[in-house]
Amino acid sequence: MCGIVGYFERGQNTAGPLGKTVLKMLEALACRGPDSAGVALFGPPKPGRFLARVKAGEDGAADCTAAIAAAAEDFGASDLTQNGAFLRFAIRDNSDVPAFLSRVEAVGREVEVVSVGRRLEIVKQVGSPGNLEHTFAISNLRGSHGLGHTRLSTESIVDISHSQPFWSHGYPDLAIVHNGHITNYHQLRRRYGQHGVRFYTENDSEVIAIYLARQLQSGLGLEAAMRGMLTDLDGSFSCLAATASEFGFVKDPFSLKPLVFTETSEFVAVATEEIAIRLALPGIYDVREAQAREVRVWRR
């Protein structure tokens, strides 16, 4: 099951009602994934700083919060706030991101840096999209493009870390959502593990974010990186990915998982089901089904 959604504003506005739009799309697909929900939203740029979202344990324990704040001091941490299990604060954008991850996550076993970016912020939570809205008020968040996911767990456990979207854990401003199953996940995991890559979950979707990050680090653009998935990843994947300036989807060679999209002069919207697009974005436009092996990327 699971439901994925994505929205991309085609104008120059980087502070539109993004959270409200993505939430409406997710709510339309809530029945596909009652276990957890999450969003990756790209807000207005933050020159000179990265925004970090950190999970301070599943319950956001107060003792972890103080230790995380202390660990982040060397990276210029400022403007720290806490909401639910998540801390949000800024660090210098010239910070060594892997060193930041290592320092902060050494605080405790359940501490996880969920996203880092000049524009990207990820929040996710066990339960429905309504639960996500109640805790984080995502309908008030503004930006230009974003992703959303509702999850029905079929293999791994139900907690915040196993929920989507996934960040690449090291490559700023990259997020993915996925519906499907990567059948060569364990092979890829062993290969990346031999190169020192840490995995945070048993969710096969996590490997997609790591794969794309490594492709982008090698100099490829997002479109070329997503096309590589068609040969390097086996199984079923309707997948959306986004960076600070790009947004796109890829559908596996067998077209096993549903995915539809629309493209107008004002926006691009992608979802597992058409109802998610229609309910969030009233108007007259065509919606079509993505085809097997189709890759589409839009750039700001």
mmCIF file of all heavy atoms in Angstrom, residues 10-35:
data_model
loop_
_atom_site.group_PDB
_atom_site.id
_atom_site.type_symbol
_atom_site.label_atom_id
_atom_site.label_comp_id
_atom_site.label_asym_id
_atom_site.label_seq_id
_atom_site.Cartn_x
_atom_site.Cartn_y
_atom_site.Cartn_z
ATOM 1 N N ARG A 10 5.875 26.086 -9.897
ATOM 2 C CA ARG A 10 6.688 26.409 -11.065
ATOM 3 C C ARG A 10 7.067 27.880 -11.159
ATOM 4 O O ARG A 10 7.930 28.253 -11.945
ATOM 5 C CB ARG A 10 5.964 25.976 -12.342
ATOM 6 C CG ARG A 10 5.617 24.505 -12.353
ATOM 7 C CD ARG A 10 5.243 24.006 -13.720
ATOM 8 N NE ARG A 10 6.417 23.819 -14.563
ATOM 9 C CZ ARG A 10 6.371 23.313 -15.798
ATOM 10 N NH1 ARG A 10 5.209 22.971 -16.322
ATOM 11 N NH2 ARG A 10 7.458 23.163 -16.506
ATOM 12 N N GLY A 11 6.429 28.754 -10.370
ATOM 13 C CA GLY A 11 6.796 30.155 -10.369
ATOM 14 C C GLY A 11 8.035 30.401 -9.521
ATOM 15 O O GLY A 11 8.717 29.478 -9.074
ATOM 16 N N GLN A 12 8.310 31.660 -9.274
ATOM 17 C CA GLN A 12 9.486 32.027 -8.490
ATOM 18 C C GLN A 12 9.185 32.132 -6.995
ATOM 19 O O GLN A 12 10.080 32.411 -6.202
ATOM 20 C CB GLN A 12 10.038 33.366 -8.993
ATOM 21 C CG GLN A 12 10.552 33.318 -10.425
ATOM 22 C CD GLN A 12 11.611 32.239 -10.620
ATOM 23 O OE1 GLN A 12 12.578 32.167 -9.868
ATOM 24 N NE2 GLN A 12 11.434 31.395 -11.639
ATOM 25 N N ASN A 13 7.947 31.922 -6.619
ATOM 26 C CA ASN A 13 7.566 32.037 -5.226
ATOM 27 C C ASN A 13 8.126 30.859 -4.417
ATOM 28 O O ASN A 13 7.798 29.713 -4.680
ATOM 29 C CB ASN A 13 6.041 32.078 -5.094
ATOM 30 C CG ASN A 13 5.578 32.278 -3.668
ATOM 31 O OD1 ASN A 13 6.371 32.608 -2.790
ATOM 32 N ND2 ASN A 13 4.288 32.098 -3.436
ATOM 33 N N THR A 14 8.979 31.156 -3.448
ATOM 34 C CA THR A 14 9.537 30.102 -2.597
ATOM 35 C C THR A 14 8.879 30.085 -1.219
ATOM 36 O O THR A 14 9.365 29.411 -0.317
ATOM 37 C CB THR A 14 11.053 30.282 -2.423
ATOM 38 O OG1 THR A 14 11.321 31.565 -1.817
ATOM 39 C CG2 THR A 14 11.770 30.198 -3.761
ATOM 40 N N ALA A 15 7.791 30.827 -1.076
ATOM 41 C CA ALA A 15 7.123 30.900 0.228
ATOM 42 C C ALA A 15 5.613 30.781 0.088
ATOM 43 O O ALA A 15 4.855 31.441 0.777
ATOM 44 C CB ALA A 15 7.491 32.191 0.941
ATOM 45 N N GLY A 16 5.159 29.927 -0.829
ATOM 46 C CA GLY A 16 3.735 29.672 -0.988
ATOM 47 C C GLY A 16 3.218 28.741 0.093
ATOM 48 O O GLY A 16 3.984 28.224 0.917
ATOM 49 N N PRO A 17 1.906 28.469 0.105
ATOM 50 C CA PRO A 17 1.290 27.620 1.144
ATOM 51 C C PRO A 17 1.576 26.136 0.924
ATOM 52 O O PRO A 17 0.655 25.316 0.798
ATOM 53 C CB PRO A 17 -0.191 27.957 1.012
ATOM 54 C CG PRO A 17 -0.369 28.305 -0.431
ATOM 55 C CD PRO A 17 0.905 29.025 -0.828
ATOM 56 N N LEU A 18 2.839 25.785 0.912
ATOM 57 C CA LEU A 18 3.270 24.433 0.581
ATOM 58 C C LEU A 18 2.751 23.403 1.572
ATOM 59 O O LEU A 18 2.246 22.344 1.187
ATOM 60 C CB LEU A 18 4.799 24.384 0.513
ATOM 61 C CG LEU A 18 5.427 23.009 0.298
ATOM 62 C CD1 LEU A 18 5.074 22.464 -1.074
ATOM 63 C CD2 LEU A 18 6.945 23.094 0.469
ATOM 64 N N GLY A 19 2.905 23.700 2.861
ATOM 65 C CA GLY A 19 2.483 22.734 3.870
ATOM 66 C C GLY A 19 1.012 22.395 3.772
ATOM 67 O O GLY A 19 0.616 21.231 3.894
ATOM 68 N N LYS A 20 0.192 23.393 3.531
ATOM 69 C CA LYS A 20 -1.246 23.179 3.405
ATOM 70 C C LYS A 20 -1.565 22.277 2.220
ATOM 71 O O LYS A 20 -2.401 21.366 2.314
ATOM 72 C CB LYS A 20 -1.947 24.521 3.247
ATOM 73 C CG LYS A 20 -3.461 24.443 3.186
ATOM 74 C CD LYS A 20 -4.066 25.843 3.102
ATOM 75 C CE LYS A 20 -5.591 25.797 3.065
ATOM 76 N NZ LYS A 20 -6.171 27.170 2.984
ATOM 77 N N THR A 21 -0.886 22.510 1.095
ATOM 78 C CA THR A 21 -1.124 21.703 -0.104
ATOM 79 C C THR A 21 -0.704 20.255 0.100
ATOM 80 O O THR A 21 -1.464 19.323 -0.201
ATOM 81 C CB THR A 21 -0.363 22.303 -1.305
ATOM 82 O OG1 THR A 21 -0.823 23.628 -1.546
ATOM 83 C CG2 THR A 21 -0.571 21.462 -2.556
ATOM 84 N N VAL A 22 0.507 20.044 0.611
ATOM 85 C CA VAL A 22 0.997 18.682 0.805
ATOM 86 C C VAL A 22 0.150 17.947 1.839
ATOM 87 O O VAL A 22 -0.149 16.756 1.690
ATOM 88 C CB VAL A 22 2.483 18.692 1.208
ATOM 89 C CG1 VAL A 22 2.965 17.290 1.567
ATOM 90 C CG2 VAL A 22 3.334 19.251 0.067
ATOM 91 N N LEU A 23 -0.291 18.639 2.886
ATOM 92 C CA LEU A 23 -1.143 18.008 3.892
ATOM 93 C C LEU A 23 -2.454 17.538 3.286
ATOM 94 O O LEU A 23 -2.908 16.415 3.554
ATOM 95 C CB LEU A 23 -1.409 18.974 5.040
ATOM 96 C CG LEU A 23 -2.355 18.448 6.126
ATOM 97 C CD1 LEU A 23 -1.755 17.241 6.830
ATOM 98 C CD2 LEU A 23 -2.695 19.551 7.127
ATOM 99 N N LYS A 24 -3.097 18.367 2.470
ATOM 100 C CA LYS A 24 -4.349 17.967 1.825
ATOM 101 C C LYS A 24 -4.148 16.742 0.943
ATOM 102 O O LYS A 24 -4.999 15.842 0.908
ATOM 103 C CB LYS A 24 -4.913 19.125 1.004
ATOM 104 C CG LYS A 24 -5.566 20.227 1.829
ATOM 105 C CD LYS A 24 -6.201 21.265 0.924
ATOM 106 C CE LYS A 24 -6.939 22.328 1.720
ATOM 107 N NZ LYS A 24 -7.564 23.341 0.828
ATOM 108 N N MET A 25 -3.037 16.710 0.228
ATOM 109 C CA MET A 25 -2.748 15.548 -0.608
ATOM 110 C C MET A 25 -2.575 14.297 0.246
ATOM 111 O O MET A 25 -3.102 13.225 -0.080
ATOM 112 C CB MET A 25 -1.501 15.808 -1.464
ATOM 113 C CG MET A 25 -1.660 16.941 -2.470
ATOM 114 S SD MET A 25 -0.137 17.275 -3.418
ATOM 115 C CE MET A 25 -0.179 15.911 -4.600
ATOM 116 N N LEU A 26 -1.857 14.432 1.358
ATOM 117 C CA LEU A 26 -1.640 13.281 2.236
ATOM 118 C C LEU A 26 -2.932 12.792 2.864
ATOM 119 O O LEU A 26 -3.160 11.586 2.986
ATOM 120 C CB LEU A 26 -0.654 13.653 3.337
ATOM 121 C CG LEU A 26 0.836 13.545 3.050
ATOM 122 C CD1 LEU A 26 1.627 13.843 4.315
ATOM 123 C CD2 LEU A 26 1.208 12.174 2.507
ATOM 124 N N GLU A 27 -3.771 13.728 3.289
ATOM 125 C CA GLU A 27 -5.024 13.347 3.939
ATOM 126 C C GLU A 27 -5.897 12.519 2.999
ATOM 127 O O GLU A 27 -6.622 11.625 3.445
ATOM 128 C CB GLU A 27 -5.761 14.593 4.410
ATOM 129 C CG GLU A 27 -5.114 15.251 5.622
ATOM 130 C CD GLU A 27 -5.780 16.551 6.016
ATOM 131 O OE1 GLU A 27 -6.394 17.196 5.136
ATOM 132 O OE2 GLU A 27 -5.684 16.925 7.194
ATOM 133 N N ALA A 28 -5.833 12.797 1.704
ATOM 134 C CA ALA A 28 -6.617 12.033 0.738
ATOM 135 C C ALA A 28 -6.143 10.586 0.626
ATOM 136 O O ALA A 28 -6.891 9.715 0.189
ATOM 137 C CB ALA A 28 -6.556 12.704 -0.636
ATOM 138 N N LEU A 29 -4.901 10.324 1.043
ATOM 139 C CA LEU A 29 -4.326 8.982 0.948
ATOM 140 C C LEU A 29 -4.127 8.336 2.319
ATOM 141 O O LEU A 29 -3.434 7.327 2.437
ATOM 142 C CB LEU A 29 -2.976 9.038 0.216
ATOM 143 C CG LEU A 29 -2.989 9.596 -1.207
ATOM 144 C CD1 LEU A 29 -1.592 9.534 -1.813
ATOM 145 C CD2 LEU A 29 -3.975 8.841 -2.099
ATOM 146 N N ALA A 30 -4.722 8.922 3.352
ATOM 147 C CA ALA A 30 -4.495 8.428 4.713
ATOM 148 C C ALA A 30 -4.862 6.959 4.868
ATOM 149 O O ALA A 30 -4.225 6.227 5.634
ATOM 150 C CB ALA A 30 -5.280 9.275 5.705
ATOM 151 N N CYS A 31 -5.888 6.504 4.134
ATOM 152 C CA CYS A 31 -6.318 5.107 4.258
ATOM 153 C C CYS A 31 -5.283 4.138 3.703
ATOM 154 O O CYS A 31 -5.319 2.941 4.011
ATOM 155 C CB CYS A 31 -7.658 4.903 3.556
ATOM 156 S SG CYS A 31 -7.635 5.238 1.790
ATOM 157 N N ARG A 32 -4.357 4.623 2.882
ATOM 158 C CA ARG A 32 -3.317 3.755 2.336
ATOM 159 C C ARG A 32 -2.189 3.500 3.332
ATOM 160 O O ARG A 32 -1.405 2.562 3.139
ATOM 161 C CB ARG A 32 -2.723 4.368 1.054
ATOM 162 C CG ARG A 32 -3.693 4.453 -0.106
ATOM 163 C CD ARG A 32 -2.962 4.947 -1.368
ATOM 164 N NE ARG A 32 -1.973 3.973 -1.807
ATOM 165 C CZ ARG A 32 -2.184 3.002 -2.697
ATOM 166 N NH1 ARG A 32 -3.389 2.884 -3.259
ATOM 167 N NH2 ARG A 32 -1.227 2.179 -3.051
ATOM 168 N N GLY A 33 -2.073 4.359 4.353
ATOM 169 C CA GLY A 33 -0.952 4.221 5.264
ATOM 170 C C GLY A 33 -1.253 4.736 6.646
ATOM 171 O O GLY A 33 -0.872 5.858 6.984
ATOM 172 N N PRO A 34 -1.906 3.946 7.495
ATOM 173 C CA PRO A 34 -2.291 4.427 8.819
ATOM 174 C C PRO A 34 -1.175 4.384 9.854
ATOM 175 O O PRO A 34 -1.344 4.895 10.961
ATOM 176 C CB PRO A 34 -3.411 3.465 9.213
ATOM 177 C CG PRO A 34 -3.047 2.179 8.517
ATOM 178 C CD PRO A 34 -2.441 2.592 7.208
ATOM 179 N N ASP A 35 -0.019 3.780 9.523
ATOM 180 C CA ASP A 35 1.012 3.571 10.535
ATOM 181 C C ASP A 35 1.819 4.832 10.842
ATOM 182 O O ASP A 35 2.189 5.080 11.989
ATOM 183 C CB ASP A 35 1.970 2.459 10.100
ATOM 184 C CG ASP A 35 1.307 1.096 10.120
ATOM 185 O OD1 ASP A 35 0.336 0.930 10.886
ATOM 186 O OD2 ASP A 35 1.745 0.207 9.366
#
